[in-house]
Amino acid sequence: MAESSFSESFTLLENSSASLNGVIFHNVQAVYSADEAINCTYSITDEIEPESGDVIGLFKVGWTSSSECFSSVPAKTPVNKDKQFLKSVFGAHLLPNDSSELYQFCYISKMRVVGASTPFTFESGDIVAVEDPTDPGLLVFKSRVSQLKDELYKLSDEKSYYATKYKLIYNNFFKLKSEFDNVEKELQVEREKTKRLEEANAILENQLKEKDTDNESNSLKELVEPENSGIRSPPEVIELDEGTKLKSEAMHAAVWKSLCEVT
C-alpha cells in the first residue's frame, strides 16, 4: 500500500454522507490504468472554506477509517478565491495494482470528509517493454493499455501539430492570394490606361497624317494656279480681221520703202 499521511486519525461517521457534497469531482472515469498518473479535477462549493492542510485521499469503497486510505496528495490551494476546476495529480506510484476492488477520491478538510467521487477501478493489463522517450536505449515496463494510450496521445499531438501547421499555411495562402488579386487588379487598371493611351495616340497620328495630306494638296494647288502664286500669265495674242491685216501690211511696206529711199 502506498503511504498516506494524516496528522490525526478520523472515521467516517454514519451521518456524514449528508456533507459529502461540499466538493464536486469532475470527469471521473469508470476505469483507470494502474501505471499511469491520474489528473483529479474538482470544484469546492461555497459552503467549504479550503485550508492549506486539505488533502485528497484514495480509498476503497466502503471504507470507515483513515487507516484504510491507500494514498493521498495535497489539495490544490485556490488562487484569488477561484475554487472551480482545481487539479491534483496522483502519480502512478500512488495507484493500486488491483482490478478487483472499487475505489473513490475523497476530499478531507479539517479532518472531515467533505466530498467523495463516484466509484472506479484500475486495470494493469499486459506488461510490455518500451523504450523511454526521454532516455533512448533505456527500457521501461508499462501496461499494454498505457502503451496504447501513449501512442494515442502522440498521434493526437501530431494531429494537433499538423492541424496548426495546415491552418498557418492555409492563412498564408489566402494572404498571398489576396495580395496577388490586388496586384492583378492594379495590373488590369494599368492595362486599360495603356489601351486608352494607345487609342488616343492612334487618333493623333491619324490627325497628323490628314494634316500633312492637306498641306501637300495646298502646295500642288499653288503650283497649278498662277494667280494664287503671283506669276503673270503670258500676253494674249490678238487676232486681227482681214481688213486690218491689209492696212497693216500696207503701212509696213510704205515704211520700208521710205527707209530704202533714204539709204
Side-chain angles (χ1 to χ4, degrees), residues 51-65:
E51 295 185 355
S52 59
D54 293 352
V55 298
I56 297 176
L58 179 62
F59 292 86
K60 287 183 180 181
V61 172
W63 68 279
T64 58
S65 172

Side-chain angles (χ1 to χ4, degrees), residues 10-14 59-69:
F10 62 91
T11 59
L12 181 64
L13 301 179
E14 293 180 358
F59 292 86
K60 287 183 180 181
V61 172
W63 68 279
T64 58
S65 172
S66 62
S67 61
E68 298 179 55
C69 180

Side-chain angles (χ1 to χ4, degrees), residues 248-262:
S248 177
E249 290 176 355
M251 288 182 65
H252 280 290
V255 172
W256 179 257
K257 186 178 180 181
S258 299
L259 291 174
C260 289
E261 290 179 353
V262 172

Side-chain angles (χ1 to χ4, degrees), residues 94-105:
L94 298 176
L95 304 178
N97 189 12
D98 184 0
S99 60
S100 63
E101 297 287 346
L102 292 177
Y103 293 83
Q104 65 181 158
F105 298 121

